[in-house]
Structures are given as structure tokens and as C-alpha cells.
Amino acid sequence: MAVSIATKQWTLEDLDSLPDDGNTYELVHGELFVTPAPTFDHETIGARLTRIIDPYAERHGLGLVYRPKAVIQLSDSQVEPDLQVRQPQASRTATWRTAPLPILVVEVLSPSTRRRDREHKRRFYLELGVPEYWIVDPETQTITSIAIGRADLRASDVMEWWPQGASAPLTLHVSAIFE
């Protein structure tokens, strides 16, 4: 006999009521995900990526690099990517819900987020229409670039990012973020 188990559909209001306890609470289409505080290595990789991407984004007028605590928010979802590049909002009273869509979202894998980043968040970012999503894997020391309409690109040496609006690509030496 099959038994159906109802799971709670979380809301943004539910999410806002959770404690500020060092964990990251994210919601993808009403499903709650809890992640412990990131490790030092995880944040170091994020900092190195920021150092590489930020001057490029500024030089090409692509927007700002946001990390961490910057969110992507919809009516039933709120995620906190490790890094995102998006245009700033014109109004100081704007909200995350009205923020422009990021042109790049990056997630750094950890043991507690591997499956979520590769499955749930991948689908979520592609559904939203994010032009490019990178999965950074410290175990294999690779970056996988995912975009709608093309096969995934996995780089362990050099990768290029050439977003719309940039006059030249960013050439990234993958080893530089894992030193």
C-alpha cells in the first residue's frame, strides 16, 4: 500500500520567522533547505572569485558582485547564492524581489550542498532565465558552466566568461581560486 506523506509548503513569511543562528535558510518553490555556516575554505574561494570577477564586471559595466547575504527572491522562493553579478537597483528603497535578474550566479559546492546545488538550484536558476550558472567544485578543482541552450562546460585549467554587453571575455585560470 502506498502512503502519501504531505510535506509542509514553506512561505517567505515562514522563512523570515526562522532564527538568525548562523545557518542559511533557503526556499525553492516552497521547499526549505538549511545549510550550516560556510567553512573558511568555502569563503576563501568566494573571496578569490570576487577579486577576479569584480574588476571585470566594473570595466564592462555589467553591474556589481554581490556575496554573501544577497538573495534572489520570488513569491515562493528565496535563495542565497555564494556569488552573483547583477545590476544595482535604481531606488534605495527597492527590495530583493524587484532586483534585476543576475547575469551570473555561482555556487561553491560543500558536502551539505552538493546535491541541492547540482539539482534543485540548477533547475531553479535555469527556470528563472539566469544566463549563466557556475558550480565550483573544490573536491575536483573544477568549475562547471551551465547555460540554457548549450552543453555544460567543465573547466579545470582555463575558462572564459563572455556575458552579453562585454567587449571582451574574462579569462579565468581555475587553479587561481583553489591555491
Side-chain angles (χ1 to χ4, degrees):
M1 174 172 79
V3 176
S4 176
I5 299 174
T7 57
K8 176 179 173 50
Q9 281 296 111
W10 288 78
T11 66
L12 291 176
E13 292 76 26
D14 294 331
L15 191 67
D16 290 341
S17 72
L18 294 171
D20 186 7
D21 59 4
N23 290 319
T24 299
Y25 296 95
E26 296 177 298
L27 199 58
V28 177
H29 299 308
E31 185 176 354
L32 180 68
F33 295 99
V34 182
T35 308
T39 64
F40 182 79
D41 185 50
H42 183 277
E43 287 303 291
T44 300
I45 290 168
R48 287 182 178 140
L49 278 168
T50 299
R51 209 180 239 178
I52 293 166
I53 296 170
D54 188 54
Y56 174 82
E58 182 176 2
R59 199 169 40 254
H60 293 276
L62 301 174
L64 300 172
V65 174
Y66 290 90
R67 69 171 300 270
K69 300 297 181 195
V71 301
I72 299 171
Q73 189 180 73
L74 300 173
S75 60
D76 66 346
S77 302
Q78 178 174 301
V79 295
E80 187 180 314
D82 293 315
L83 183 148
Q84 57 184 302
V85 178
R86 67 189 330 165
Q87 287 293 320
Q89 297 198 66
S91 168
R92 289 186 168 185
T93 60
T95 66
W96 288 116
R97 193 174 289 193
T98 62
L101 186 69
I103 61 168
L104 174 66
V105 171
V106 179
E107 296 285 3
V108 179
L109 296 181
S110 65
S112 61
T113 66
R114 292 182 87 72
R115 183 169 175 234
R116 177 181 332 146
D117 291 343
R118 286 189 168 141
E119 295 175 17
H120 298 279
K121 284 187 165 181
R122 175 193 176 110
R123 274 194 309 274
F124 178 71
Y125 295 139
L126 292 176
E127 284 172 11
L128 280 179
V130 171
E132 194 157 349
Y133 171 43
W134 292 357
I135 298 175
V136 178
D137 190 341
E139 274 187 24
T140 60
Q141 296 195 349
T142 59
I143 298 175
T144 301
S145 169
I146 300 157
I148 298 169
R150 71 156 163 77
D152 296 354
L153 303 174
R154 186 174 177 190
S156 58
D157 49 2
V158 176
M159 73 176 288
E160 277 192 350
W161 179 46
W162 199 333
Q164 185 175 346
S167 59
L170 168 69
T171 301
L172 174 77
H173 295 274
V174 176
S175 62
I177 65 167
F178 297 110
E179 293 175 341

